[in-house]
């Protein structure tokens, strides 16, 4: 699945609505977690995904259409029976925290 909004329609919450519907559908189908790739330069998309609970372990080194991408994860069951975050979730950084830091490759 791809998610994109034409530039003239951005900033209206359309991407968030599409993402929420896709996540609802995945959860209804019994999925425990989901993952997606996002353009490493697309901070707006990264903020959206982070706000919806996606996490990342870092850049994949993978290129899609010549662009560096990040692999993001979302676990639908973010807390265990004891109310604490799952160990898998604890090891991952929130996507926006990881990518909002200054880029080191730019001088």
């Amino acid at each position: 699945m791809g998610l994109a909004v034409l530039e003239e329609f951005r900033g209206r919450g359309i991407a968030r609505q599409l993402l929420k519907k896709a996540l609802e559908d995945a959860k209804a189908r019994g999925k425990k977690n989901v993952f997606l790739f996002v353009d490493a330069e697309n901070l707006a998309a990264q903020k959206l995904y982070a706000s919806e609970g996606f996490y990342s372990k870092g850049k994949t080194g993978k290129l899609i259409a010549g662009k560096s991408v990040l692999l993001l994860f979302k676990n639908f069951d973010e807390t265990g029976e004891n109310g604490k975050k799952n160990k898998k979730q604890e090891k991952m950084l929130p996507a926006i925290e990881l990518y909002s830091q200054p880029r080191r490759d730019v001088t």
Side-chain angles (χ1 to χ4, degrees), residues 19 30 36-37 46 57 70 84-85 99:
L19 178 60
L36 59 84
F37 291 106
Q46 292 172 39
K57 285 189 174 180
L70 310 171
K84 294 183 179 178
K85 283 190 174 185
Y99 302 107

Side-chain angles (χ1 to χ4, degrees), residues 34-94:
V34 293
F35 69 91
L36 59 84
F37 291 106
V38 63
D39 181 341
E41 300 295 317
N42 190 340
L43 293 179
Q46 292 172 39
K47 286 180 184 180
L48 169 66
Y49 297 132
S51 74
E52 292 298 326
F54 280 85
Y55 289 79
S56 176
K57 285 189 174 180
K59 290 187 181 181
T60 64
K62 184 174 185 139
L63 296 177
I64 296 179
K67 294 186 175 190
S68 179
V69 296
L70 310 171
L71 179 60
L72 304 182
F73 301 89
K74 178 175 176 66
N75 185 344
F76 289 121
D77 181 24
E78 292 184 5
T79 57
E81 294 175 11
N82 60 5
K84 294 183 179 178
K85 283 190 174 185
N86 290 328
K87 290 186 186 293
K88 182 178 180 184
Q89 199 76 6
E90 287 176 357
K91 292 179 183 176
M92 296 183 191
L93 295 171

